[in-house]
Amino acid sequence: MSFKNLAQISLIIFAGLLILRQVLALNQLIQSFPLNDFGVYLQGVQHTLTGNPYAQKFFDYYNYPPAATLFFYPLTLLPINTSEFIFTGLSIISLFITIWLLCKLTTRKLTFHFSLLTFYLFLRFSPTRLTLTLGQINLIVLLLIILSFYWYTKKRQIPAGVSLALAFIFKFTPAILLLFFLLRKQFKLISAFLITVLMINLLAVLVFGWPITQFYYFKVLPSLLNQTGFYTMQRTYMNQSFTALLGRLGFFDTYHTLIKLAFTLPLLWFLSRRRHDFTTYALFLSFMTIFLPTFSWQHHYVFLIPSLFLLGIRSLALGIVSYLLLNFTISAAFPGYPNPLVHSHLFLSATIIFFLMLVLPPPNSPNRGSTPAKLAG
């Protein structure tokens, strides 16, 4: 056996042990503590079946539409520990498939040991760990978003539209990705998206009734979108959105809206003028996470994984520095700090990464086309 083969086997074993250690630690955590946000999902389902889940608070408020409740329902039929293990397992598998798809979409034929190390790094990524320990659905949504682009590169517009629609059912912000496909004139994809969303919502109305659906879309959703006032804005350290930064700087309501529009609309226009490749798709994904929502919790930053992956391909040093910047957190209970920039350090780091992605040229940039190699950018 050559030294090179021995080194590769050693790296595979080393990476496998690191991943196993992380999974075992997560297993112990699940056995010792509940997954708080996942518990909210299950309680939300149970109260949807018996009343109005939006009128009360569990560990936190249940902010998912009745359409999403349909997908959580099967997990309520199992013992809580079993459903937690299944859900966590699906999330970890989703992350692994996402990394595999990123390699295919960027035509990077990574060696098996390097792929394992990459998977481990993103498994150890702070937003990923927060997603897993809270029992958030972010990693499954991320996979659906990346799958949508993957099917698109295979000229499978209907599966691409269905994948994006399923992501939208859980998180409304992926709707901005429709603009990317609209610019590519993927009308069949957009039609598949709209039909899927409509059908699932109609099914939710049949199962849970129109009143609960009406209450969500006319009461709950508007209140979530309008949390821009002094007393309603989420300015805790966990919120690392553009809105939260503006609130920490003292801009609320109309001033907040005007500043946000003045910044995001030109940026969105610039994105729409870029070459419509996977890099631009990842930038749209980062845009929807950093700048679009009124609240972007730290665990939502898993949606920056594609941008970090692409940045690491372009410059390993920049990729490592960016990973470390987003991996650094002060404390989940970090109090209000006199300096709003320190309080928003993750948002500022993500913004720097976003603009680095904008200005750095892709390595060995291929000609424009429709194959995965040409669409990766």
Side-chain angles (χ1 to χ4, degrees):
M1 181 181 295
S2 67
F3 175 78
K4 181 179 179 181
N5 290 337
L6 183 62
Q8 289 178 344
I9 292 173
S10 300
L11 282 172
I12 290 172
I13 294 173
F14 177 67
L17 289 174
L18 288 175
I19 293 170
L20 179 62
R21 180 178 179 274
Q22 186 69 16
V23 171
L24 289 176
L26 188 61
N27 172 62
Q28 186 176 5
L29 185 69
I30 293 174
Q31 290 181 334
S32 304
F33 302 98
L35 304 181
N36 290 323
D37 287 355
F38 180 72
V40 173
Y41 299 161
L42 299 189
Q43 289 175 306
V45 173
Q46 292 163 357
H47 283 77
T48 301
L49 295 171
T50 58
N52 187 344
Y54 309 115
Q56 55 191 304
K57 184 176 182 179
F58 311 109
F59 170 77
D60 202 350
Y61 290 103
Y62 182 69
N63 292 324
Y64 289 83
T69 305
L70 289 170
F71 294 92
F72 296 132
Y73 173 72
L75 292 170
T76 64
L77 305 176
L78 302 170
I80 181 65
N81 280 347
T82 303
S83 59
E84 285 181 340
F85 278 113
I86 291 173
F87 186 79
T88 304
L90 287 174
S91 295
I92 293 174
I93 292 170
S94 295
L95 177 62
F96 182 82
I97 297 174
T98 297
I99 301 302
W100 177 74
L101 288 174
L102 289 175
C103 294
K104 290 183 70 68
L105 288 168
T106 54
T107 65
R108 299 291 152 177
K109 296 181 179 179
L110 301 178
T111 57
F112 183 66
H113 60 274
F114 191 80
S115 300
L116 282 179
L117 286 172
T118 304
F119 171 65
Y120 170 73
L121 286 175
F122 284 119
L123 188 63
R124 283 285 301 171
F125 188 42
S126 181
T128 302
R129 285 185 290 140
L130 195 56
T131 288
L132 292 171
T133 54
L134 287 174
Q136 270 284 337
I137 200 166
N138 301 324
L139 292 171
I140 296 173
V141 174
L142 175 61
L143 172 60
L144 290 169
I145 290 171
I146 301 302
L147 265 176
S148 181
F149 189 89
Y150 176 76
W151 288 123
Y152 157 65
T153 65
K154 299 296 184 181
K155 299 184 179 181
R156 300 283 301 279
Q157 293 193 48
I158 292 177
V162 171
S163 295
L164 189 60
L166 292 175
F168 173 80
I169 291 296
F170 295 111
K171 305 280 184 183
F172 290 145
T173 47
I176 193 67
L177 298 173
L178 285 175
L179 178 58
F180 175 89
F181 293 116
L182 182 61
L183 294 168
R184 295 287 297 181
K185 300 180 180 179
Q186 302 297 304
F187 301 119
K188 185 184 290 187
L189 186 155
I190 294 170
S191 298
F193 170 91
L194 295 174
I195 292 171
T196 303
V197 170
L198 179 62
M199 290 179 63
I200 295 175
N201 275 279
L202 287 175
L203 180 60
V205 171
L206 291 174
V207 174
F208 302 120
W210 170 246
I212 194 71
T213 303
Q214 181 186 37
F215 186 86
Y216 178 82
Y217 284 106
F218 289 93
K219 296 289 185 181
V220 178
L221 186 58
S223 69
L224 292 173
L225 297 175
N226 291 326
Q227 293 182 2
T228 59
F230 181 82
Y231 295 105
T232 59
M233 185 182 292
Q234 299 279 356
R235 283 170 285 165
T236 63
Y237 176 59
M238 284 290 289
N239 189 2
Q240 290 291 320
S241 65
F242 187 31
T243 289
L245 173 62
L246 292 176
R248 290 167 192 144
L249 292 171
F251 298 103
F252 304 99
D253 296 321
T254 303
Y255 291 110
H256 154 270
T257 302
L258 291 175
I259 294 172
K260 191 170 182 178
L261 288 175
F263 183 83
T264 56
L265 289 181
L267 194 56
L268 192 58
W269 177 85
F270 184 77
L271 280 178
S272 67
R273 303 288 294 178
R274 283 177 54 90
R275 176 182 168 200
H276 303 140
D277 53 17
F278 183 60
T279 298
T280 302
Y281 189 76
L283 283 167
F284 267 97
L285 184 53
S286 296
F287 178 87
M288 83 167 203
T289 305
I290 307 167
F291 304 112
L292 194 60
T294 53
F295 47 87
S296 185
W297 307 125
Q298 291 179 22
H299 52 73
H300 290 151
Y301 274 51
V302 296
F303 296 116
L304 270 65
I305 286 177
S307 289
L308 284 176
F309 186 90
L310 290 170
L311 192 59
I313 288 175
R314 297 181 182 195
S315 169
L316 182 59
L318 283 177
I320 292 172
V321 171
S322 300
Y323 174 88
L324 293 175
L325 282 173
L326 292 182
N327 215 37
F328 172 74
T329 55
I330 300 172
S331 168
F334 187 59
Y337 193 79
N339 189 328
L341 299 182
V342 173
H343 210 163
S344 298
H345 69 93
L346 284 175
F347 165 79
L348 295 174
S349 297
T351 302
I352 292 171
I353 293 166
F354 179 86
F355 282 102
L356 281 174
M357 285 286 295
L358 275 178
V359 300
L360 283 179
N364 303 321
S365 179
N367 295 324
R368 187 171 179 174
S370 59
T371 63
K374 294 180 180 180
L375 287 166

